Amino acid sequence: MPAQWEEIGRQKRHERDSKIPDQWRLQNIDKSRTDVISVPRECGLLTDRELDITENYDAKGIVDAIARQRWTSEEVTIAFCKRAAIAQQLVNCLAEIFFDAAIDRARYLDNYLQEHRKPIGPLHGLPISVKDSFSIPGFPSSVGLASRALTPDTAYATMPALLLSAGAILYVKTTTPQAQMCFDTNSALWGRTLCPYKTTLTAGGSSGGEAALIAMKGSVLGIGSDVGGSVRIPAFCCNLFGVKPTSYRTPRLGTETIEMPGENAVRIPVCVGPLARTAGDCKWFFEVLASLQPWRFDSQVLPYTFSSPFEKDAKLKIGLLSNNGITAPLPPVAAVLDEVRRTLVAAGHTVELITLPEFTPAFTTTAGLLTLTGTNGFFDALESVGGEPLSPWLATRTKRVNMRPNALVEFCKLSHQKQQAEMAFIKRLWERGQGKDRLDVVVCPVAGHPTPKHDDWVAIDWLSVWNMLDYPAAVIPVRTVSEADLRREITVPSLGRWDDGCRKLWNPEVRNALQGAPIGIQVVGRKGEDGELCGAMEIIAEALQRSNDIDIIICGVPKL
């Protein structure tokens, strides 16, 4: 007799798949094909108009076209629902589907526009996808756990409620790994989500379903969450832009996690942020959100203004961090950093090579805060449905751990270490003393390695320290691993245990599997300066896109 978790998984997958109309189903899927990014265009299910809507416009452009009545909300919504259905069949990125309700809402918005001659709000008619952790009435927020898959939510989380108030259309919730606890989106409940550019590679996590869907152009703008890289890793793996904002800028109320109520106060805060195919859409999302005044609806959101001081032709002062003392960039990542440096210098920006000896102790503090409260809640959830098995990534990296008996004392010590790290980084990066200009942003790797195969993501040192410091951070896609990259060898000694794990991915017998793997860069700003970060991200992305350097290929950007 199947275990309870198996029955729940079978039921939920059948329920989800049954919501894909027969006329949107692919025929004869080629299981041997690993690059599926162009299948939606080739399969014949989308009309030329639907291809145009989903491929050639950013989110703001779609909203503008609906407002000008070039398209109806209904036809835009059907186009993205249809493309999301195709994406699901290829990369397994959807958890909950509500296409019919989305199309009904689109018709309501079309009628509103006809009657009132103005949009209902700044997102009028825009389909937006959300990570499964965001509560929407009538649908569970399982976050990859069978124990949570049969209990529908009864109220909207603040973020989707605000999106709807601005005229958005919600149509899917996307997959996460078990309890959002790992960086490869895979669970016994939903199965594995795949990277559309190469299905043998990870889509990242924990917002992996969002990233895979947007890469397949089944969504133009998606909302994820990030406590140690969960927006930025999937963006990196799927050739997208993604932003983790400063904490308490975006509403988190009503999102589901495995943590105890109130636990967020003694851990690194979860931040909600966008994933998109353009830097401009990420920036525009924050502009729209600020105009909705989310602090009125979520008590933990602090009032703020969102603006960028940078003109489009501004010249930035950039700190380039290529070694954090924990994991060194593998040859293709190092090559990308050098290509980016040369491109930015050629574009007139100042790029200063920097070191941060404080990074390694800051990572130790970060790890302490992330593991302070143990894993009992997670393992209790698995056992409550007959022993749901851990995903392969988690099986080798986590076990049941009690909350530390002296957790309060530990928290006080870690908080003091965090304050010391905050001051050290301020002096090193932003207030550098007489004769040294402050940096506008820092550019660094997302990881020491390119996008790896399933279950091979090594560490989050390049990501989680920025969460601990509460710095806004973004990912810019650059290019993929080339054949020439595969011939590059490691020429520097190992930095230690974490670096050894990273270097295993470059062993001669495994590195060939990484050809075509996406690589991006991370751009980091000062705490609270989210507008400055997004402005700098746009400027850097444009410089890379305009580069004549043949190695630079900004991936996934629509031609506007």
Side-chain angles (χ1 to χ4, degrees):
M1 181 177 178
Q4 186 180 3
W5 61 268
E6 291 179 291
E7 285 293 338
I8 293 171
R10 187 179 296 112
Q11 175 185 336
K12 288 298 297 181
R13 292 190 295 273
H14 173 76
E15 177 186 300
R16 174 197 60 193
D17 296 346
S18 69
K19 294 180 180 179
I20 297 177
D22 288 342
Q23 61 270 30
W24 295 358
R25 294 186 181 275
L26 294 168
Q27 303 297 321
N28 303 319
I29 298 174
D30 182 358
K31 296 291 187 180
S32 66
R33 181 171 177 172
T34 60
D35 180 352
V36 298
I37 203 75
S38 60
V39 171
R41 167 167 280 278
E42 299 166 358
C43 68
L45 294 179
L46 296 166
T47 67
D48 289 344
R49 192 172 176 89
E50 289 166 341
L51 289 169
D52 185 40
I53 290 168
T54 55
E55 292 183 358
N56 296 327
Y57 295 84
D58 62 8
K60 189 174 186 301
I62 290 171
V63 170
D64 291 344
I66 292 171
R68 295 194 312 269
Q69 298 185 307
R70 176 178 178 181
W71 303 320
T72 64
S73 299
E74 181 179 1
E75 65 180 324
V76 168
T77 300
I78 290 173
F80 279 104
C81 287
K82 188 184 291 189
R83 193 151 186 154
I86 296 168
Q88 165 57 27
Q89 296 169 75
L90 295 166
V91 296
N92 191 38
C93 54
L94 304 183
E96 301 290 344
I97 291 174
F98 29 102
F99 295 152
D100 291 344
I103 295 168
D104 285 344
R105 174 165 169 79
R107 290 171 181 148
Y108 162 78
L109 291 170
D110 286 334
N111 291 335
Y112 183 97
L113 186 61
Q114 287 290 329
E115 180 179 348
H116 296 276
R117 300 296 173 186
K118 65 177 182 179
I120 203 169
L123 300 176
H124 184 105
L126 181 68
I128 296 180
S129 53
V130 296
K131 188 177 183 178
D132 186 42
S133 55
F134 291 95
S135 298
I136 294 176
F139 300 94
S141 296
S142 65
V143 293
L145 292 171
S147 62
R148 298 189 175 203
L150 300 180
T151 306
D153 294 320
T154 58
Y156 283 103
T158 304
M159 177 61 80
L162 284 171
L163 297 176
L164 290 170
S165 74
I169 296 169
L170 305 178
Y171 61 117
V172 292
K173 298 213 297 177
T174 53
T175 51
T176 75
Q178 285 175 312
Q180 307 173 92
M181 281 182 59
C182 70
F183 309 108
D184 192 315
T185 296
N186 183 17
S187 68
L189 179 64
W190 300 118
R192 190 185 293 278
T193 299
L194 309 175
C195 173
Y197 289 91
K198 193 169 185 178
T199 55
T200 55
L201 304 179
T202 180
S206 62
S207 306
E210 273 303 314
L213 177 65
I214 298 167
M216 292 292 292
K217 302 181 180 66
S219 173
V220 71
L221 178 66
I223 314 301
S225 59
D226 190 310
V227 72
S230 289
V231 162
R232 291 161 290 159
I233 291 172
F236 173 85
C237 293
C238 294
N239 279 330
L240 299 173
F241 294 84
V243 181
K244 179 211 80 71
T246 304
S247 62
Y248 309 117
R249 293 299 179 90
T250 51
R252 178 179 176 262
L253 186 66
T255 58
E256 290 295 323
T257 68
I258 199 64
E259 67 189 24
M260 296 180 295
E263 188 177 336
N264 198 50
V266 296
R267 296 185 62 198
I268 295 171
V270 175
C271 297
V272 171
L275 298 94
R277 287 187 285 138
T278 69
D281 271 349
C282 290
K283 180 182 176 184
W284 177 68
F285 165 79
F286 287 114
E287 291 170 344
V288 170
L289 184 63
S291 75
L292 301 176
Q293 300 182 333
W295 51 88
R296 294 172 53 205
F297 309 99
D298 184 336
S299 62
Q300 291 200 333
V301 178
L302 300 175
Y304 66 96
T305 57
F306 184 90
S307 62
S308 172
F310 302 125
E311 299 293 335
K312 291 192 72 173
D313 59 351
K315 302 304 178 186
L316 303 174
K317 186 168 183 60
I318 299 166
L320 178 62
L321 180 66
S322 60
N323 190 328
N324 65 6
I326 303 164
T327 54
L330 292 177
V333 178
V336 164
L337 288 175
D338 189 58
E339 291 161 11
V340 168
R341 179 192 62 79
R342 287 188 279 110
T343 299
L344 294 176
V345 169
H349 302 289
T350 300
V351 180
E352 175 186 338
L353 302 180
I354 62 172
T355 59
L356 282 172
E358 300 87 355
F359 203 100
T360 298
F363 180 56
T364 301
T365 301
T366 302
L369 287 166
L370 288 172
T371 59
L372 182 67
T373 54
T375 60
N376 277 337
F378 173 50
F379 279 88
D380 288 347
L382 299 179
E383 291 175 5
S384 70
V385 287
E388 179 181 339
L390 290 167
S391 68
W393 193 95
L394 283 171
T396 59
R397 293 170 174 88
T398 192
K399 59 184 179 180
R400 182 182 282 275
V401 178
N402 295 325
M403 181 184 292
R404 298 178 196 172
N406 56 345
L408 179 58
V409 174
E410 286 286 321
F411 175 65
C412 291
K413 289 179 180 178
L414 290 166
S415 295
H416 179 60
Q417 292 169 15
K418 177 177 182 290
Q419 291 163 1
Q420 290 177 312
E422 289 168 341
M423 289 307 303
F425 276 70
I426 283 176
K427 292 176 181 178
R428 185 73 68 172
L429 300 176
W430 317 118
E431 306 297 335
R432 305 198 296 167
Q434 191 171 7
K436 281 195 171 184
D437 295 334
R438 62 157 287 180
L439 301 173
D440 292 315
V441 290
V442 172
V443 167
C444 66
V446 178
H449 51 73
T451 299
K453 295 194 300 181
H454 301 300
D455 305 317
D456 277 356
W457 191 276
V458 175
I460 55 172
D461 49 301
W462 282 105
L463 298 146
S464 60
V465 167
W466 309 125
N467 293 76
M468 186 271 289
L469 295 169
D470 204 8
Y471 288 178
V475 165
I476 297 176
V478 180
R479 65 170 176 87
T480 59
V481 175
S482 68
E483 189 174 348
D485 286 325
L486 298 176
R487 295 192 292 270
R488 305 177 194 268
E489 299 296 339
I490 299 171
T491 59
V492 295
S494 173
L495 297 172
R497 176 171 65 94
W498 290 107
D499 203 24
D500 289 342
C502 187
R503 286 164 176 251
K504 288 180 181 178
L505 301 183
W506 207 241
N507 287 342
E509 64 272 18
V510 297
R511 75 173 72 163
N512 286 343
L514 301 184
Q515 185 171 352
I519 309 175
I521 58 170
Q522 192 172 192
V523 184
V524 182
R526 187 172 184 172
K527 182 177 181 177
E529 297 186 354
D530 298 56
E532 287 86 341
L533 171 74
C534 288
M537 174 177 61
E538 275 194 304
I539 291 168
I540 293 170
E542 184 173 354
L544 297 180
Q545 198 167 8
R546 289 183 174 183
S547 170
N548 292 322
D549 188 329
I550 60 171
D551 288 334
I552 296 290
I553 307 170
I554 287 279
C555 302
V557 179
K559 297 177 180 178
L560 304 177

